[in-house]
Amino acid sequence: MLQPSGDLRTSWLTTAVLFRSVPPPVTQPLTPLHPPARPPLGPPPVSGPPLIRPSTMTAGPPNTQPLINSTASREGDATSAASDGAAVQNSYDALEGGGLTATPHPPAPPNVKMNRNVGYSYPALPPGYQNTSAPGAPGMQASALQYPDGSKHFHQPALGTNHLSASMGALNLQQEGLRPVNLLQERNILPTTLLKAPVPNLHEDIQKLNCNPELFRCTLTNIPQTQALLNKAKLPLGLLLHPFKDLSQLPVVTSSTIVRCRSCRTYINPFVSFLDQRRWKCNLCYRVNDVPEEFMYNPVTRVYGEPHKRPEVQNATIEFMAPSEYMLRPPQPPVYLFVFDVSHNAVETGYLNTVCQTLLDNLDLLPGNTRTKIGFITFDSTIHFYSLQEGLSQPQMLIVSDIEDVFIPMPENLLVNLNENKELIQDLLKALPQMFTKSLETQSALGPALQAAFKLMSPTGGRISVFQTQLPSVGMGALKSREEPNQRATAKDIHLTPSTDFYKKLALDCSGQQVAVDLFLLSGQYSDLASLGCISRYSAGSVYYYQSYHHKHNPVQVEKLQKELKRYLTRKIGFEAVMRIRCTKGLSIHTFHGNFFVRSTDLLSLPNVNPDAGYAVQMSVEESLTDMQVVSFQSALLYTSSKGERRIRVHTMCLPVVTTLSDVYLGADVQAITGLLANMAVDRSVSATLSDARDALVNAVIDSLAAYRSAVLSVQQPGLTAPSSLRLFPLYVLALLKQKAFQTGTSTRLDERIFTMCQVKNQPLVYLMLMTHPSLYRVDNLTDEGALNINDRTIPQPPLLQLSVEKLSRDGAYLMDAGSVMFLWIGKNCGQSFISQVLGVPNYGSIPQNMTHLPELDTAESTRTIAFISWLREQRPFFPILYIIKDDSPLKSSFLQNMIEDRTESALSYYEFLLHIQQQVNK
């Protein structure tokens, strides 16, 4: 029933996550797009074995098999019926030019003339290069294309994979990573500066071209030659990616020729080898390809005949402007739909004031162009649409009360051009917070509101931002409370799985129409995030959670929402994206982690991609990597920018292959290993139980250290010995066990636990590690010694401290940075100068109980402290609240909870944990 209203005043680790095995690939170049029904053309299959055999389950060690050797993923399972049907799936697969497709295509008839989008001949147009920053990134400087000196010559290629033996032999191996460390004796193993990713053991000419580890890193920087060797090491093999990260320098290639391997569709990159001027060998499948005529000319040096000096071959990270054959349809406009809960509960929290005001302030900064569209839906037990038709003196509200069969009234006026209708949009945003202040409607029809939003967005695709404050109670997707506070502790019976498949099915429908849904949950009550979160997880959206949000009772959350919403609204965005990860023949990917839908085996569907999202994949060694000195990994992200350009961002990483167990341990990246295990443990918690996941994490440490002890250590030593590269592994796993996602104990609310699990699956590694193992600094004695100088600001660099009360002194002040929250703990006998010159109060007793901001005082101490905290905050996309706490503060328990090395009510101290590990290793 439709009730028009003209007046606005009257009237929201089995890690058995069905990991896909990779089918045998075929040589499938880019298929022509028209007509879509025609079978794609392709060259005859190359002779010899297939590039990658179908993945098979490997028998793993009895302890860790479920967490480390696993082969199925529910992560976007392709068995779920998305609404887009097979035709779209195949088209998307062809669009990125998949080398790994599920069904082989017949060889092309001999008389068919191949056109260029099948990858045979290239037009000889003069290439154009442009040098721009990442699209839509505010404040990013245009990057200068930088090429390392000493470029290779085609007749003497020093960097190709088949020319490595000489340089590899001369490498000075850094054996520090293998030094045995007795963990029970060496207590101060935490470095005083943030841990950096290990540098792969490659010739320096190759390593300087390698991908930045912030974008792409592997759990093992030395790749084991066989699966048997990997199984012996008892370490997981996988990749962690941050593919759309904001970059200050990004070479953008505007040439109409994108050079790719004719067989596996790898993009040309720094690790291919040039056999001569006219031929290059792919570093993933080893096929020899012709160098197209256009690629012979280098527009940077203006020299002909130096294809190996082109930017594509000098940069491991590069972006291509994609020609029309990389499109299924004309690039979509940026479309943003906001869906607001306006029930009595929602109005009571006061969130609408903050959200509408932040939107008003940032309307002009929404990424887009003259085509940008925007729309609004509000809901309680009914759904309210807003007509923003040109010519109206004010927005018109349209109420749909039939929530069982939602329809869209006047669809043409509900999503409108932002620039042409800005005044009406501003009027609506100013009016919305007041419109529902007297509402007594307590019900929430979130499901029907999302169905309406999906119908409205389907024709174009785009982004739905939904704000919800309670458990949905009426219509499709209604939920019932499943949390029993006194059962929060029992690891057996907590509800980590969705109670309905409604939100997952709707998310898959959204994904099929290029719509992503971001969920902002602002709730003091249980809202079943395990069910609601599916709407974002499978549509490639994000989840934001503001526990107990209230504008008066919890004012610090208001600032957090403002800051994070501003970042969310103004950060760059990619629409209708797909991502594929390729790796050298012999390696295979079997599980993906992150927010997406897996389309056709190895293609991730990302209706939206944002610069703050991370992804992880698990891998296995399918075929022995004999005769290979190095292997390569390449991720390709095809997306539409907010300016309507089709672009492809490519990252390529090269790593050495090793044949001994000691070399595998030497190259272990302990942070990447911890990050991948955390992702696997979330899956295990959901598919089995929380206690299973915890056991598997502990067993991962036991098994790897036992394997090192028995197979690598020549002299058995007393104590618990780890290679230096893994010396922090037990500490990081203990930190995971104490993290909200995996800890036991009644203090963790169910939604809070689920949200932390969402973060584990969707955070880039650097933020995940900070949430897992916080950084602790002493800040009452900051100096300029060793400080950084950034934009005329001096940023002190105090040393990191171990997370133990032993390291605290009552006469100091300590800052704990736990990623999404910070604590400044002031000791009882803290120096008077810090208290007066930084906190701005006369003495310890007058520090207020709920202090969350440092005053800006005209003192050197204040300037240093604020500069340090601001610098830490600026490095992440979310806003950590700062809590200033004393000995008698109620928040002291939260601060102490993060002291990983100390004992808590439900978890061992670090020393006790080491004794437990030692006992198991020595069995």
Side-chain angles (χ1 to χ4, degrees), residues 674-917:
T674 306
L676 186 62
L677 286 174
N679 274 282
M680 294 158 73
V682 168
D683 287 357
R684 171 61 76 78
S685 304
V686 174
S687 63
T689 65
L690 189 59
S691 54
D692 270 14
R694 290 172 57 85
D695 290 348
L697 284 170
V698 176
N699 288 337
V701 178
I702 293 167
D703 291 348
S704 56
L705 295 190
Y708 170 74
R709 176 187 165 93
S710 63
V712 178
L713 277 186
S714 47
V715 183
Q716 294 302 322
Q717 301 174 352
L720 176 63
T721 311
S724 180
S725 60
L726 290 177
R727 68 191 184 282
L728 296 173
F729 193 24
L731 179 63
Y732 285 159
V733 166
L734 179 65
L736 276 178
L737 296 173
K738 295 185 176 190
Q739 205 221 40
K740 283 192 172 120
F742 306 112
Q743 70 186 26
T744 53
T746 49
S747 57
T748 310
R749 289 183 174 191
L750 188 45
D751 280 344
E752 197 177 1
R753 186 187 297 278
I754 299 285
F755 175 60
T756 313
M757 289 182 167
C758 292
Q759 287 182 301
V760 167
K761 298 286 275 190
N762 196 37
Q763 288 272 27
L765 181 63
V766 58
Y767 311 132
L768 173 58
M769 287 311 300
L770 200 51
M771 279 169 40
T772 302
H773 186 277
S775 298
L776 182 66
Y777 308 92
R778 183 164 183 169
V779 291
D780 60 306
N781 53 4
L782 293 176
T783 66
D784 290 347
E785 195 182 331
L788 296 176
N789 218 319
I790 300 173
N791 300 336
D792 298 330
R793 283 192 309 162
T794 303
I795 316 290
Q797 296 294 294
L800 282 169
L801 303 174
Q802 285 173 259
L803 293 169
S804 171
V805 175
E806 281 177 20
K807 300 295 171 189
L808 301 180
S809 157
R810 284 190 182 278
D811 52 13
Y814 297 83
L815 179 73
M816 178 185 283
D817 178 5
S820 52
V821 63
M822 291 180 175
F823 299 99
L824 178 56
W825 180 79
I826 314 293
K828 232 177 195 146
N829 307 326
C830 182
Q832 184 58 40
S833 66
F834 182 83
I835 289 175
S836 59
Q837 298 187 6
V838 175
L839 303 180
V841 294
N843 52 43
Y844 183 82
S846 37
I847 299 172
Q849 192 65 275
N850 53 355
M851 188 172 180
T852 55
H853 289 85
L854 291 177
E856 293 196 22
L857 305 175
D858 194 13
T859 65
E861 291 85 345
S862 171
T863 305
R864 281 194 196 106
T865 311
I866 288 174
F868 181 55
I869 291 172
S870 303
W871 175 73
L872 289 174
R873 277 177 163 161
E874 284 160 14
Q875 294 177 66
R876 64 202 69 166
F878 39 85
F879 182 77
I881 297 169
L882 173 69
Y883 293 103
I884 296 154
I885 54 175
K886 303 190 287 183
D887 259 1
D888 57 349
S889 165
L891 279 168
K892 189 182 176 189
S893 60
S894 303
F895 174 70
L896 294 177
Q897 187 79 36
N898 283 318
M899 290 294 186
I900 305 301
E901 300 195 23
D902 298 335
R903 185 169 197 166
T904 60
E905 54 177 76
S906 57
L908 301 175
S909 71
Y910 176 54
Y911 191 73
E912 290 167 329
F913 186 63
L914 290 179
L915 290 174
H916 171 68
I917 300 289

Side-chain angles (χ1 to χ4, degrees), residues 47 60 91 117 136 161 324 351 356 466 552 567 581 644:
S47 56
S91 310
N117 56 357
T161 52
S324 59
Y351 90 88
C356 290
V466 60
K552 284 188 182 147
R567 163 73 185 169
I581 301 162

Side-chain angles (χ1 to χ4, degrees), residues 22-26 28 51-52 93 97-103 263-265 580-583 589 600-603:
V22 179
V26 289
Q28 184 214 356
L51 306 187
I52 301 174
D93 195 69
L100 302 174
T101 42
T103 50
S263 179
C264 69
R265 308 302 294 146
R580 179 175 262 122
I581 301 162
R582 296 178 169 89
C583 45
I589 295 169
S600 74
T601 344
D602 66 332
L603 192 73

Side-chain angles (χ1 to χ4, degrees), residues 169-486:
L171 284 175
N172 171 22
L173 289 176
Q174 307 227 323
Q175 295 300 330
E176 168 59 24
L178 263 187
R179 180 177 66 84
V181 178
N182 185 338
L183 296 176
L184 288 167
Q185 284 178 350
E186 294 193 35
R187 298 298 305 281
N188 297 320
I189 55 166
L190 192 74
T192 55
T193 55
L194 288 172
L195 198 61
K196 289 189 167 62
V199 178
N201 197 7
L202 291 166
H203 190 284
E204 64 183 46
D205 286 347
I206 303 175
Q207 182 47 36
K208 70 183 179 188
L209 292 174
N210 225 340
C211 194
N212 179 341
E214 290 177 11
L215 304 172
F216 208 172
R217 66 200 269 190
C218 185
T219 55
L220 304 174
T221 58
N222 287 335
I223 302 296
Q225 189 181 63
T226 63
Q227 182 67 35
L229 184 60
L230 176 60
N231 289 346
K232 262 190 200 167
K234 303 286 194 279
L235 292 171
L237 176 60
L239 305 170
L240 290 102
L241 296 89
H242 189 176
F244 204 52
K245 178 179 161 66
D246 286 325
L247 299 172
S248 57
Q249 293 205 326
L250 177 69
V252 177
V253 176
T254 59
S255 158
S256 59
T257 296
I258 297 177
V259 180
R260 300 176 66 180
C261 174
R262 274 171 46 183
S263 179
C264 69
R265 308 302 294 146
T266 292
Y267 295 79
I268 199 166
N269 61 78
F271 312 110
V272 305
S273 30
F274 283 88
L275 306 184
D276 52 43
Q277 264 184 327
R278 295 286 180 180
R279 294 178 305 154
W280 62 279
K281 185 190 266 190
C282 175
N283 51 322
L284 267 64
C285 74
Y286 304 117
R287 169 152 183 164
V288 175
N289 295 272
D290 294 335
V291 174
E293 183 64 31
E294 184 193 340
F295 204 75
M296 295 294 290
Y297 177 73
N298 185 349
V300 180
T301 59
R302 299 187 177 176
V303 173
Y304 182 87
E306 295 185 341
H308 56 282
K309 291 187 180 175
R310 295 259 308 200
E312 297 93 322
V313 192
Q314 293 291 331
N315 293 277
T317 290
I318 195 153
E319 186 147 286
F320 298 96
M321 302 289 276
S324 59
E325 57 263 36
Y326 285 84
M327 304 173 196
L328 278 181
R329 58 178 184 176
Q332 68 167 74
V335 185
Y336 304 111
L337 178 61
F338 295 90
V339 183
F340 297 130
D341 174 358
V342 292
S343 63
H344 177 73
N345 187 62
V347 173
E348 177 61 24
T349 67
Y351 90 88
L352 264 176
N353 292 296
T354 305
V355 172
C356 290
Q357 189 55 53
T358 308
L359 246 172
L360 272 168
D361 295 343
N362 293 285
L363 264 186
D364 293 334
L365 299 175
L366 286 178
N369 52 19
T370 53
R371 302 191 303 153
T372 305
K373 291 181 159 187
I374 193 168
F376 300 89
I377 292 175
T378 58
F379 67 96
D380 39 37
S381 63
T382 58
I383 300 169
H384 325 129
F385 297 90
Y386 296 87
S387 172
L388 299 161
Q389 184 181 356
E390 270 189 277
L392 286 177
S393 58
Q394 59 178 22
Q396 183 182 21
M397 183 189 209
L398 306 161
I399 300 172
V400 173
S401 54
D402 182 358
I403 58 172
E404 296 307 319
D405 184 18
V406 179
F407 67 97
I408 307 292
M410 303 168 63
E412 64 284 354
N413 300 324
L414 303 179
L415 281 172
V416 297
N417 185 291
L418 173 59
N419 297 314
E420 293 166 9
N421 300 272
K422 193 170 284 176
E423 282 187 20
L424 273 180
I425 292 162
Q426 289 170 330
D427 290 346
L428 177 60
L429 286 170
K430 287 171 188 166
L432 267 178
Q434 275 66 55
M435 283 167 52
F436 301 95
T437 47
K438 298 200 166 55
S439 169
L440 299 175
E441 182 57 77
T442 56
Q443 304 284 12
S444 167
L446 172 66
L450 284 171
Q451 287 177 319
F454 165 64
K455 285 183 179 175
L456 191 53
M457 295 289 275
S458 286
T460 52
R463 182 177 76 191
I464 298 172
S465 311
V466 60
F467 293 77
Q468 172 73 1
T469 67
Q470 60 178 320
L471 204 61
S473 55
V474 291
M476 295 293 284
L479 300 169
K480 290 187 168 58
S481 180
R482 299 188 288 165
E483 181 179 53
E484 296 171 35
N486 55 353

